[in-house]
Amino acid sequence: MEEELNAALYQEAAEQGDAEAQCRLGWCYDLGAGVEKDREEAVRWYRKAVEQGFDQAQYNLGVCYYSGEGVKQDYTEAVRLYRKAADQGHAEAQYQLGRCYYFGKGVEKDEQEAVRWWRKAADQGHAESRSALHELGSD
């Protein structure tokens, strides 16, 4: 019941152009929280928030492109979106961008660039980035 109420509130605010509500509504559709799960509808709402520069939506939409959920899988587009969020200081996007560089997904493989992004995330306390740096001996 609470999830349904939240989705309804997010819907109302999202339709009025609130970027955070658009992102949260996308999340509701992504997970089926309070609405029927619909990855394509999630992508639609994430895109609206991305157009407004909302970092969490940029990250979430990047995840969709990386995994091919709700859109055709496209690592290059995932990297573009991760970078937009990472440039705004989004730690999880920085970590995922580092992974893209480390594994050469959507970008040319570049361990130094991976380390650079993981350091940015680790400096914000991101545990997985710290672990990745530790494993490489770059901590």
Side-chain angles (χ1 to χ4, degrees):
M1 182 77 148
E2 186 177 325
E3 288 178 341
E4 289 174 17
L5 178 62
N6 286 342
L9 292 173
Y10 294 147
Q11 179 88 37
E12 186 178 324
E15 288 173 354
Q16 294 175 16
D18 183 285
E20 184 174 355
Q22 290 168 340
C23 182
R24 288 179 183 258
L25 184 58
W27 179 83
C28 288
Y29 279 106
D30 210 353
L31 300 178
V35 293
E36 190 170 324
K37 188 173 186 170
D38 184 338
R39 293 277 171 74
E40 290 176 7
E41 188 68 6
V43 165
R44 187 173 82 78
W45 285 108
Y46 289 151
R47 279 193 177 120
K48 288 181 179 286
V50 165
E51 289 170 8
Q52 297 184 66
F54 195 69
D55 66 340
Q56 184 65 46
Q58 292 162 342
Y59 168 74
N60 291 357
L61 188 55
V63 170
C64 292
Y65 275 101
Y66 192 89
S67 65
E69 297 284 346
V71 292
K72 184 178 180 199
Q73 188 175 50
D74 184 338
Y75 294 129
T76 302
E77 183 63 8
V79 166
R80 186 185 75 80
L81 289 158
Y82 287 158
R83 186 179 318 278
K84 287 181 103 164
D87 285 343
Q88 292 182 65
H90 192 285
E92 185 65 23
Q94 292 168 339
Y95 169 70
Q96 293 298 341
L97 187 55
R99 284 180 46 84
C100 289
Y101 276 104
Y102 187 77
F103 293 107
K105 299 279 190 172
V107 289
E108 191 170 319
K109 190 172 180 165
D110 185 336
E111 191 174 304
Q112 286 183 314
E113 191 67 5
V115 167
R116 187 174 82 81
W117 284 108
W118 287 338
R119 277 208 179 106
K120 286 179 181 258
D123 287 348
Q124 296 183 68
H126 191 269
E128 290 170 290
S129 294
R130 287 182 177 169
S131 177
L133 290 169
H134 181 73
E135 286 180 30
L136 289 176
S138 297
D139 51 349

